[in-house]
Coordinates of all heavy atoms in Angstrom, one line a residue:
M25 N 10.4 12.1 74.1 CA 9.3 12.4 73.3 C 8.9 13.9 73.5 O 8.5 14.5 72.6 CB 8.1 11.5 73.7 CG 6.9 11.7 72.9 SD 7.2 11.1 71.3 CE 5.6 11.3 70.6
T26 N 8.9 14.4 74.8 CA 8.5 15.8 75.0 C 9.5 16.7 74.3 O 9.1 17.8 73.9 CB 8.5 16.1 76.5 OG1 9.8 15.8 77.0 CG2 7.5 15.3 77.2
D27 N 10.8 16.4 74.2 CA 11.7 17.2 73.5 C 11.3 17.3 72.0 O 11.4 18.4 71.4 CB 13.1 16.6 73.6 CG 14.2 17.5 73.0 OD1 14.1 18.8 73.2 OD2 15.1 17.1 72.3
L28 N 10.9 16.2 71.4 CA 10.4 16.3 70.0 C 9.2 17.2 69.8 O 9.1 18.0 68.9 CB 10.1 14.8 69.5 CG 9.5 14.7 68.1 CD1 10.6 15.1 67.1 CD2 9.1 13.3 67.9
I29 N 8.2 17.1 70.8 CA 7.1 17.9 70.7 C 7.4 19.4 70.8 O 6.9 20.3 70.1 CB 6.1 17.5 71.8 CG1 5.5 16.1 71.5 CG2 4.9 18.5 71.9 CD1 4.7 15.5 72.6
H30 N 8.4 19.7 71.7 CA 8.8 21.1 71.9 C 9.5 21.6 70.6 O 9.3 22.8 70.2 CB 9.7 21.3 73.1 CG 9.0 21.2 74.4 ND1 8.1 22.1 74.9 CD2 9.0 20.2 75.4 CE1 7.7 21.7 76.0 NE2 8.2 20.6 76.4
R31 N 10.3 20.8 70.0 CA 11.0 21.2 68.8 C 10.0 21.4 67.7 O 10.1 22.4 66.9 CB 12.0 20.1 68.4 CG 13.3 20.2 69.0 CD 14.3 19.4 68.3 NE 14.9 18.5 69.2 CZ 15.6 17.4 68.9 NH1 15.8 17.1 67.7 NH2 16.2 16.7 69.8
L32 N 9.0 20.6 67.5 CA 8.0 20.7 66.5 C 7.2 22.0 66.7 O 6.8 22.8 65.8 CB 7.0 19.5 66.4 CG 7.6 18.3 65.8 CD1 6.6 17.1 65.9 CD2 7.9 18.6 64.3
A33 N 6.8 22.3 68.0 CA 6.1 23.5 68.3 C 6.9 24.7 68.0 O 6.4 25.7 67.5 CB 5.6 23.5 69.8
A34 N 8.2 24.7 68.3 CA 9.0 25.9 68.0 C 9.2 26.1 66.5 O 9.1 27.2 66.0 CB 10.4 25.7 68.7
W35 N 9.3 25.0 65.8 CA 9.4 25.1 64.3 C 8.1 25.6 63.7 O 8.1 26.5 62.8 CB 9.7 23.7 63.8 CG 9.9 23.6 62.3 CD1 10.9 24.2 61.6 CD2 9.1 23.0 61.4 NE1 10.8 23.9 60.3 CE2 9.6 23.2 60.1 CE3 7.9 22.3 61.5 CZ2 9.0 22.7 59.0 CZ3 7.3 21.8 60.3 CH2 7.9 22.0 59.1
M36 N 6.9 25.2 64.2 CA 5.7 25.7 63.7 C 5.5 27.2 64.1 O 4.9 27.9 63.3 CB 4.5 24.9 64.3 CG 4.4 23.4 63.8 SD 4.2 23.3 62.0 CE 2.6 23.9 61.9
R37 N 5.9 27.6 65.2 CA 5.9 29.0 65.6 C 6.7 29.9 64.6 O 6.3 30.9 64.2 CB 6.4 29.2 67.0 CG 5.2 29.5 68.0 CD 5.8 29.8 69.4 NE 5.8 28.6 70.1 CZ 6.9 28.1 70.7 NH1 8.0 28.7 70.7 NH2 6.8 26.9 71.3
L38 N 7.8 29.4 64.2 CA 8.6 30.1 63.3 C 8.0 30.2 61.9 O 8.1 31.2 61.2 CB 10.0 29.4 63.1 CG 11.0 29.6 64.3 CD1 12.2 28.8 64.0 CD2 11.3 31.0 64.5
L39 N 7.2 29.2 61.5 CA 6.6 29.2 60.2 C 5.3 30.0 60.2 O 5.0 30.7 59.2 CB 6.2 27.7 59.8 CG 7.4 26.8 59.4 CD1 6.8 25.4 59.0 CD2 8.0 27.4 58.1
L40 N 4.6 30.0 61.3 CA 3.2 30.6 61.3 C 3.2 32.1 61.8 O 2.3 32.8 61.5 CB 2.3 29.8 62.2 CG 2.0 28.4 61.7 CD1 1.1 27.6 62.6 CD2 1.4 28.4 60.3
I41 N 4.2 32.5 62.6 CA 4.2 33.8 63.1 C 4.8 34.7 62.1 O 6.0 34.5 61.7 CB 5.0 33.9 64.5 CG1 4.2 33.1 65.5 CG2 5.1 35.4 64.9 CD1 4.9 33.1 66.8
P42 N 4.1 35.8 61.6 CA 4.7 36.6 60.6 C 5.8 37.5 61.2 O 5.7 38.0 62.3 CB 3.5 37.5 60.1 CG 2.6 37.5 61.2 CD 2.8 36.1 61.9
H43 N 6.8 37.7 60.4 CA 7.9 38.6 60.8 C 7.9 39.8 59.9 O 7.9 39.7 58.7 CB 9.3 37.9 60.7 CG 9.4 36.7 61.6 ND1 9.6 36.8 62.9 CD2 9.3 35.3 61.3 CE1 9.6 35.6 63.4 NE2 9.4 34.7 62.5
R44 N 7.9 41.0 60.6 CA 8.0 42.2 59.8 C 9.4 42.6 59.5 O 10.2 42.7 60.4 CB 7.3 43.4 60.6 CG 5.8 43.2 60.7 CD 5.2 44.4 61.1 NE 5.4 45.5 60.1 CZ 4.7 46.6 60.1 NH1 3.7 46.8 61.0 NH2 4.9 47.4 59.1
T45 N 9.7 42.9 58.3 CA 11.0 43.3 57.9 C 11.1 44.8 57.7 O 12.1 45.4 57.8 CB 11.5 42.6 56.6 OG1 10.5 42.9 55.6 CG2 11.6 41.1 56.8
D46 N 9.9 45.4 57.4 CA 9.9 46.9 57.2 C 9.0 47.5 58.3 O 7.8 47.4 58.4 CB 9.2 47.1 55.8 CG 9.2 48.6 55.5 OD1 9.9 49.4 56.1 OD2 8.4 49.0 54.6
P47 N 9.7 48.1 59.3 CA 8.9 48.7 60.4 C 8.1 49.9 60.1 O 7.1 50.2 60.7 CB 10.0 49.0 61.4 CG 11.2 49.2 60.6 CD 11.1 48.4 59.4
A48 N 8.4 50.6 59.0 CA 7.7 51.8 58.7 C 6.5 51.4 57.8 O 6.6 50.7 56.8 CB 8.6 52.8 57.9
P49 N 5.3 51.9 58.1 CA 4.1 51.6 57.2 C 4.2 52.4 55.9 O 4.8 53.5 55.8 CB 2.9 52.1 58.1 CG 3.5 53.1 59.0 CD 4.9 52.7 59.3
H50 N 3.6 51.9 54.9 CA 3.6 52.5 53.6 C 2.5 53.6 53.6 O 1.5 53.5 54.3 CB 3.2 51.5 52.5 CG 4.2 50.4 52.4 ND1 5.4 50.6 51.8 CD2 4.1 49.1 52.7 CE1 6.1 49.5 51.8 NE2 5.3 48.5 52.3
P51 N 2.8 54.7 52.9 CA 1.8 55.8 52.9 C 0.6 55.4 52.1 O 0.7 54.5 51.2 CB 2.6 57.0 52.2 CG 3.7 56.3 51.4 CD 4.0 55.1 52.2
P52 N -0.6 55.9 52.5 CA -1.8 55.5 51.7 C -1.8 55.9 50.3 O -1.2 56.9 49.9 CB -2.9 56.1 52.5 CG -2.3 57.3 53.2 CD -0.9 56.9 53.5
A53 N -2.3 55.1 49.4 CA -2.4 55.4 48.0 C -3.3 56.6 47.8 O -4.3 56.7 48.5 CB -2.9 54.2 47.2
P54 N -3.0 57.4 46.8 CA -3.9 58.6 46.6 C -5.2 58.1 46.0 O -5.3 57.1 45.3 CB -3.1 59.4 45.6 CG -2.2 58.5 44.9 CD -1.8 57.5 46.0
R55 N -6.3 58.8 46.4 CA -7.6 58.4 45.9 C -7.8 58.9 44.4 O -7.3 59.9 44.0 CB -8.7 59.1 46.7 CG -8.7 58.6 48.1 CD -9.8 59.2 48.9 NE -11.1 58.8 48.3 CZ -12.3 59.1 48.8 NH1 -12.4 59.9 49.8 NH2 -13.4 58.7 48.2
P56 N -8.4 58.0 43.6 CA -8.6 58.5 42.2 C -9.6 59.6 42.1 O -10.4 59.8 43.0 CB -9.2 57.2 41.6 CG -9.8 56.4 42.7 CD -9.0 56.7 43.9
A57 N -9.4 60.4 41.1 CA -10.3 61.6 40.9 C -11.7 61.1 40.6 O -11.9 60.1 39.9 CB -9.7 62.4 39.8
P58 N -12.7 61.8 41.0 CA -14.1 61.4 40.7 C -14.3 61.6 39.2 O -13.7 62.4 38.5 CB -15.0 62.3 41.5 CG -14.1 63.5 41.8 CD -12.7 63.0 41.9
P59 N -15.3 60.8 38.6 CA -15.5 60.9 37.2 C -16.1 62.3 36.9 O -16.7 63.0 37.7 CB -16.6 59.8 36.9 CG -17.2 59.5 38.2 CD -16.1 59.8 39.3
S60 N -15.8 62.7 35.6 CA -16.2 64.1 35.2 C -17.7 64.2 35.1 O -18.3 65.3 35.3 CB -15.6 64.4 33.9 OG -15.9 63.5 32.9
H61 N -18.4 63.1 34.8 CA -19.9 63.2 34.7 C -20.4 62.1 35.6 O -20.0 60.9 35.7 CB -20.4 62.9 33.3 CG -19.9 61.6 32.7 ND1 -18.6 61.5 32.2 CD2 -20.5 60.4 32.5 CE1 -18.4 60.2 31.8 NE2 -19.5 59.6 32.0
P62 N -21.4 62.4 36.5 CA -21.9 61.4 37.4 C -22.8 60.4 36.7 O -23.3 60.6 35.7 CB -22.8 62.3 38.4 CG -23.2 63.4 37.5 CD -22.1 63.7 36.6
L63 N -22.9 59.2 37.4 CA -23.7 58.1 36.9 C -25.1 58.5 37.0 O -25.5 59.2 38.0 CB -23.3 56.8 37.6 CG -21.9 56.3 37.4 CD1 -21.7 55.1 38.3 CD2 -21.7 55.9 36.0
P64 N -26.0 57.9 36.2 CA -27.5 58.2 36.3 C -28.0 57.5 37.6 O -27.4 56.5 38.1 CB -28.1 57.6 35.1 CG -27.1 56.6 34.6 CD -25.8 57.1 35.0
A65 N -29.1 58.0 38.1 CA -29.7 57.4 39.3 C -30.2 56.1 39.0 O -30.7 55.8 37.9 CB -30.8 58.3 39.8
H66 N -30.1 55.1 40.0 CA -30.6 53.8 39.8 C -32.1 53.8 39.8 O -32.8 54.3 40.7 CB -30.1 52.9 40.9 CG -30.6 51.5 40.8 ND1 -30.3 50.6 39.8 CD2 -31.5 50.8 41.6 CE1 -30.9 49.5 40.0 NE2 -31.7 49.6 41.0
R67 N -32.7 53.1 38.8 CA -34.2 52.9 38.7 C -34.5 51.4 38.8 O -34.0 50.7 38.0 CB -34.7 53.5 37.4 CG -34.8 55.0 37.5 CD -35.5 55.6 36.3 NE -36.8 54.9 36.1 CZ -37.5 55.1 35.0 NH1 -37.1 55.8 34.0 NH2 -38.7 54.5 34.9
S68 N -35.4 51.1 39.7 CA -35.8 49.7 39.8 C -36.8 49.3 38.7 O -37.7 50.1 38.4 CB -36.4 49.4 41.2 OG -36.9 48.1 41.2
P69 N -36.6 48.2 38.0 CA -37.6 47.8 37.0 C -38.9 47.3 37.5 O -39.8 47.1 36.8 CB -36.9 46.7 36.2 CG -36.0 46.1 37.3 CD -35.6 47.2 38.2
Y70 N -39.1 47.2 38.9 CA -40.3 46.6 39.4 C -41.4 47.6 39.6 O -42.5 47.2 39.9 CB -40.0 45.9 40.8 CG -39.0 44.8 40.6 CD1 -37.7 44.8 41.0 CD2 -39.5 43.7 39.9 CE1 -36.9 43.8 40.8 CE2 -38.6 42.6 39.7 CZ -37.3 42.7 40.2 OH -36.5 41.6 40.0
G71 N -41.2 48.9 39.5 CA -42.3 49.8 39.7 C -42.6 50.6 38.5 O -43.3 51.7 38.6
L72 N -42.2 50.2 37.3 CA -42.4 51.0 36.1 C -43.8 50.9 35.5 O -44.3 51.8 34.9 CB -41.4 50.5 35.0 CG -40.0 50.7 35.4 CD1 -39.1 50.2 34.3 CD2 -39.7 52.2 35.7
H73 N -44.6 49.8 35.8 CA -45.9 49.7 35.3 C -46.9 49.9 36.4 O -46.6 50.2 37.5 CB -46.1 48.3 34.7 CG -45.6 47.2 35.5 ND1 -46.2 46.8 36.6 CD2 -44.5 46.4 35.4 CE1 -45.6 45.8 37.2 NE2 -44.5 45.5 36.5
A74 N -48.2 49.9 36.0 CA -49.2 50.2 37.0 C -49.2 49.2 38.1 O -48.8 48.0 37.9 CB -50.6 50.2 36.3
P75 N -49.7 49.6 39.3 CA -49.7 48.6 40.4 C -50.7 47.5 40.1 O -51.7 47.6 39.4 CB -50.2 49.4 41.6 CG -50.8 50.7 41.1 CD -50.1 50.9 39.7
L76 N -50.5 46.3 40.8 CA -51.3 45.2 40.6 C -52.7 45.4 41.2 O -52.8 46.0 42.3 CB -50.7 43.9 41.2 CG -49.4 43.5 40.5 CD1 -48.8 42.3 41.3 CD2 -49.6 43.1 39.1
D77 N -53.7 44.9 40.6 CA -55.1 45.0 41.1 C -55.4 43.7 41.7 O -55.5 42.7 41.1 CB -56.1 45.3 40.0 CG -57.5 45.5 40.5 OD1 -57.7 45.7 41.7 OD2 -58.4 45.5 39.7
G78 N -55.6 43.7 43.0 CA -55.9 42.4 43.8 C -57.3 41.9 43.5 O -57.5 40.7 43.7
T79 N -58.2 42.7 43.1 CA -59.6 42.2 42.8 C -59.7 41.7 41.4 O -60.8 41.1 41.1 CB -60.6 43.4 43.0 OG1 -60.2 44.4 42.1 CG2 -60.5 44.0 44.4
A80 N -58.7 41.8 40.6 CA -58.8 41.3 39.2 C -58.6 39.8 39.1 O -59.1 39.1 38.2 CB -57.8 42.0 38.3
T81 N -58.0 39.2 40.1 CA -57.8 37.7 40.1 C -58.5 37.1 41.4 O -58.8 37.8 42.4 CB -56.3 37.4 40.2 OG1 -55.8 37.9 41.4 CG2 -55.6 37.9 39.0
V82 N -58.8 35.8 41.3 CA -59.4 35.1 42.4 C -58.3 34.5 43.2 O -57.4 33.9 42.7 CB -60.3 34.0 41.8 CG1 -60.9 33.2 43.0 CG2 -61.4 34.6 41.0
A83 N -58.3 34.7 44.5 CA -57.3 34.1 45.4 C -57.5 32.6 45.5 O -58.7 32.2 45.8 CB -57.3 34.8 46.7
V84 N -56.5 31.8 45.3 CA -56.6 30.4 45.4 C -55.8 29.9 46.6 O -54.6 30.3 46.7 CB -56.1 29.7 44.1 CG1 -56.2 28.2 44.3 CG2 -57.0 30.1 42.9
R85 N -56.4 29.2 47.5 CA -55.7 28.7 48.6 C -55.3 27.2 48.3 O -56.2 26.4 48.2 CB -56.5 28.8 49.9 CG -56.8 30.2 50.3 CD -57.7 30.3 51.4 NE -59.0 30.2 50.9 CZ -60.1 30.3 51.7 NH1 -60.0 30.5 52.9 NH2 -61.3 30.1 51.2
P86 N -54.0 26.9 48.1 CA -53.7 25.6 47.7 C -54.0 24.5 48.7 O -54.4 23.4 48.3 CB -52.2 25.6 47.4 CG -51.7 26.9 48.1 CD -52.9 27.8 48.2
Y87 N -54.0 24.8 50.0 CA -54.3 23.7 50.9 C -55.8 23.4 50.9 O -56.2 22.2 51.0 CB -54.0 24.2 52.4 CG -54.6 25.5 52.8 CD1 -55.8 25.5 53.4 CD2 -53.9 26.7 52.6 CE1 -56.4 26.7 53.8 CE2 -54.4 27.9 53.0 CZ -55.7 27.9 53.6 OH -56.2 29.1 53.9
L88 N -56.7 24.4 50.5 CA -58.1 24.1 50.4 C -58.4 23.3 49.1 O -59.2 22.3 49.1 CB -58.9 25.4 50.4 CG -60.4 25.2 50.3 CD1 -60.9 24.4 51.5 CD2 -61.1 26.6 50.3
T89 N -57.7 23.6 48.0 CA -57.8 22.9 46.8 C -57.4 21.4 47.0 O -58.0 20.5 46.5 CB -57.0 23.6 45.7 OG1 -57.4 24.9 45.6 CG2 -57.2 22.9 44.3
A90 N -56.3 21.2 47.7 CA -55.8 19.9 47.9 C -56.8 19.1 48.7 O -57.0 17.9 48.5 CB -54.4 19.9 48.6
H91 N -57.4 19.7 49.7 CA -58.3 19.0 50.6 C -59.6 18.6 49.7 O -60.1 17.5 49.9 CB -58.8 19.9 51.7 CG -59.9 19.4 52.6 ND1 -59.7 18.3 53.4 CD2 -61.2 19.7 52.7 CE1 -60.8 18.0 54.0 NE2 -61.7 18.9 53.6
E92 N -60.0 19.5 48.9 CA -61.2 19.2 48.0 C -60.9 18.1 47.1 O -61.7 17.2 46.8 CB -61.6 20.5 47.3 CG -62.2 21.5 48.2 CD -62.5 22.8 47.4 OE1 -62.0 23.0 46.3 OE2 -63.1 23.7 48.0
Q93 N -59.6 18.1 46.6 CA -59.2 17.0 45.6 C -59.2 15.6 46.4 O -59.6 14.6 45.8 CB -57.9 17.3 45.0 CG -57.9 18.4 44.0 CD -56.5 18.7 43.4 OE1 -55.5 18.2 44.0 NE2 -56.5 19.5 42.4
R94 N -58.7 15.6 47.6 CA -58.7 14.4 48.4 C -60.1 13.9 48.6 O -60.4 12.7 48.5 CB -58.0 14.6 49.7 CG -56.5 14.4 49.7 CD -55.9 14.3 51.1 NE -56.1 15.5 51.9 CZ -55.4 16.6 51.9 NH1 -54.4 16.7 51.1 NH2 -55.7 17.6 52.6
L95 N -61.0 14.8 49.0 CA -62.4 14.4 49.2 C -63.0 13.8 47.9 O -63.7 12.8 48.0 CB -63.2 15.6 49.7 CG -63.0 16.0 51.1 CD1 -63.8 17.2 51.5 CD2 -63.2 14.9 52.1
R96 N -62.7 14.5 46.8 CA -63.3 14.0 45.5 C -62.7 12.6 45.2 O -63.5 11.8 44.7 CB -62.9 15.1 44.5 CG -63.6 14.8 43.2 CD -65.0 15.2 43.2 NE -65.7 14.7 42.0 CZ -66.7 13.9 42.0 NH1 -67.3 13.6 43.2 NH2 -67.3 13.6 40.9
R97 N -61.4 12.4 45.4 CA -60.9 11.1 45.0 C -61.4 10.0 45.9 O -61.7 8.9 45.5 CB -59.3 11.2 45.2 CG -58.7 12.0 44.1 CD -57.2 11.9 44.2 NE -56.6 12.8 43.3 CZ -55.7 13.8 43.5 NH1 -55.3 13.9 44.8 NH2 -55.2 14.5 42.6
R98 N -61.7 10.4 47.2 CA -62.2 9.4 48.1 C -63.6 9.0 47.7 O -64.0 7.8 47.7 CB -62.3 9.9 49.5 CG -62.8 8.9 50.5 CD -62.9 9.5 51.9 NE -61.6 9.9 52.4 CZ -61.4 10.9 53.2 NH1 -62.4 11.7 53.6 NH2 -60.2 11.2 53.6
E99 N -64.4 10.0 47.3 CA -65.8 9.8 46.8 C -65.8 8.9 45.6 O -66.6 8.0 45.4 CB -66.5 11.1 46.5 CG -66.8 11.9 47.7 CD -67.4 13.3 47.4 OE1 -67.6 13.5 46.2 OE2 -67.6 14.1 48.3
L100 N -64.9 9.2 44.6 CA -64.8 8.4 43.4 C -64.3 6.9 43.7 O -64.9 6.0 43.1 CB -63.9 9.0 42.4 CG -64.4 10.3 41.8 CD1 -63.3 11.0 40.9 CD2 -65.6 10.0 40.9
A101 N -63.4 6.8 44.6 CA -62.9 5.4 45.0 C -64.1 4.6 45.6 O -64.2 3.4 45.3 CB -61.7 5.5 45.9
L102 N -64.8 5.2 46.5 CA -65.9 4.5 47.2 C -67.0 4.3 46.2 O -67.7 3.2 46.3 CB -66.4 5.3 48.4 CG -65.5 5.4 49.6 CD1 -66.0 6.3 50.6 CD2 -65.2 4.0 50.1
A103 N -67.3 5.2 45.2 CA -68.3 4.9 44.2 C -67.9 3.7 43.3 O -68.7 3.0 42.9 CB -68.5 6.2 43.4
A104 N -66.6 3.6 43.1 CA -66.1 2.4 42.3 C -66.4 1.1 43.0 O -66.6 0.1 42.4 CB -64.7 2.6 42.0
L105 N -66.4 1.2 44.4 CA -66.7 0.0 45.1 C -68.2 -0.3 45.4 O -68.6 -1.2 46.0 CB -66.0 0.1 46.5 CG -64.5 0.1 46.5 CD1 -63.9 0.4 47.9 CD2 -63.9 -1.2 45.9
G106 N -69.0 0.7 44.9 CA -70.4 0.5 45.0 C -71.0 1.2 46.2 O -72.2 1.0 46.6
L107 N -70.2 2.0 47.0 CA -70.7 2.7 48.1 C -71.1 4.1 47.8 O -70.4 4.8 47.0 CB -69.6 2.7 49.2 CG -69.1 1.4 49.7 CD1 -67.9 1.5 50.6 CD2 -70.2 0.6 50.4
D108 N -72.2 4.5 48.3 CA -72.8 5.8 47.9 C -72.3 6.8 49.0 O -72.4 6.6 50.1 CB -74.3 5.8 47.9 CG -74.9 7.0 47.3 OD1 -74.1 7.7 46.6 OD2 -76.0 7.3 47.5
M109 N -71.7 7.9 48.5 CA -71.3 9.0 49.3 C -72.0 10.3 48.9 O -72.2 10.5 47.7 CB -69.8 9.3 49.1 CG -68.9 8.2 49.7 SD -68.8 8.2 51.5 CE -68.1 9.8 51.8
P110 N -72.4 11.1 49.9 CA -73.0 12.4 49.5 C -71.9 13.3 48.9 O -70.8 13.3 49.3 CB -73.4 13.0 50.8 CG -72.6 12.3 51.8 CD -72.3 11.0 51.3
G111 N -72.2 13.9 47.8 CA -71.3 14.8 47.1 C -71.8 15.3 45.8 O -73.1 15.3 45.6
P112 N -71.0 15.9 45.0 CA -71.5 16.5 43.8 C -72.2 15.4 42.8 O -71.8 14.2 42.9 CB -70.3 17.1 43.1 CG -69.1 16.4 43.7 CD -69.6 15.9 45.1
Y113 N -73.1 15.8 42.1 CA -73.8 14.9 41.2 C -73.3 15.1 39.7 O -74.0 14.6 38.8 CB -75.3 15.1 41.3 CG -75.8 14.8 42.7 CD1 -76.1 15.8 43.6 CD2 -75.9 13.5 43.1 CE1 -76.5 15.5 44.9 CE2 -76.4 13.2 44.4 CZ -76.6 14.2 45.3 OH -77.0 13.9 46.5
W114 N -72.3 15.8 39.5 CA -71.7 16.0 38.2 C -70.2 15.5 38.3 O -69.5 16.0 39.1 CB -71.7 17.4 37.8 CG -73.1 17.9 37.5 CD1 -74.1 18.4 38.4 CD2 -73.8 17.9 36.2 NE1 -75.2 18.7 37.7 CE2 -75.1 18.4 36.4 CE3 -73.4 17.5 35.0 CZ2 -76.0 18.5 35.4 CZ3 -74.3 17.6 33.9 CH2 -75.6 18.1 34.1
I115 N -69.8 14.6 37.5 CA -68.5 14.1 37.4 C -68.0 14.3 36.0 O -68.5 13.7 35.0 CB -68.3 12.6 37.8 CG1 -68.8 12.4 39.3 CG2 -66.9 12.1 37.7 CD1 -68.8 11.0 39.7
H116 N -67.0 15.1 35.8 CA -66.4 15.4 34.5 C -67.4 15.9 33.5 O -67.5 15.4 32.3 CB -65.6 14.2 33.9 CG -64.5 13.8 34.8 ND1 -63.4 14.5 35.0 CD2 -64.3 12.6 35.5 CE1 -62.6 13.9 35.9 NE2 -63.1 12.7 36.2
G117 N -68.4 16.7 34.0 CA -69.4 17.2 33.1 C -70.6 16.3 32.8 O -71.4 16.6 32.0
T118 N -70.6 15.1 33.4 CA -71.7 14.2 33.2 C -72.5 14.0 34.5 O -71.9 13.9 35.5 CB -71.1 12.8 32.8 OG1 -70.3 13.0 31.7 CG2 -72.3 11.8 32.4
E119 N -73.8 14.1 34.4 CA -74.6 14.0 35.6 C -74.7 12.5 36.0 O -74.8 11.6 35.2 CB -76.0 14.5 35.3 CG -76.9 14.5 36.5 CD -78.3 15.1 36.3 OE1 -78.6 15.4 35.1 OE2 -79.0 15.2 37.2
V120 N -74.4 12.3 37.3 CA -74.5 10.9 37.8 C -75.7 10.9 38.8 O -76.1 11.8 39.4 CB -73.2 10.5 38.5 CG1 -72.1 10.4 37.5 CG2 -72.8 11.5 39.6
A121 N -76.2 9.7 38.9 CA -77.4 9.5 39.8 C -77.0 9.3 41.2 O -76.0 8.9 41.6 CB -78.2 8.3 39.3

């Protein structure tokens, strides 16, 4: 069995180890000539308009909005069961008592 393993290992070495037939390296290829006219400078499309004004919009924090929605849904669910919860007195534009 060990003779078979040695034979397979020697065969695999012959297949996997590259053999050089040309000992002299090839000369490097000549570099192409640079273009006669240079390319235009790269311009990013992200800075072409005026900078953004941070005070023009209201910052919305999604985690706070989600928390307020959860509280509102809990209040409405408890109101449907007849339990009174402190909260807003306007639901969908209608005043509630």
Side-chain angles (χ1 to χ4, degrees):
M25 183 69 177
T26 58
D27 186 41
L28 176 64
I29 293 173
H30 287 290
R31 276 196 235 165
L32 284 174
W35 183 69
M36 291 300 289
R37 256 186 265 123
L38 288 175
L39 287 177
L40 297 177
I41 296 176
H43 296 284
R44 287 193 68 161
T45 58
D46 184 17
H50 296 289
R55 294 184 63 178
S60 59
H61 56 283
L63 295 175
H66 175 70
R67 283 186 54 190
S68 174
Y70 295 110
L72 299 179
H73 46 74
L76 296 175
D77 183 16
T79 60
T81 60
V82 178
V84 177
R85 294 175 280 184
Y87 55 88
L88 183 60
T89 305
H91 175 70
E92 291 171 349
Q93 287 176 350
R94 270 193 304 275
L95 289 178
R96 186 76 189 125
R97 287 184 186 127
R98 181 183 301 145
E99 290 172 4
L100 290 173
L102 290 174
L105 295 174
L107 301 172
D108 191 20
M109 287 288 296
Y113 297 101
W114 291 85
I115 298 176
H116 300 293
T118 306
E119 186 177 6
V120 294

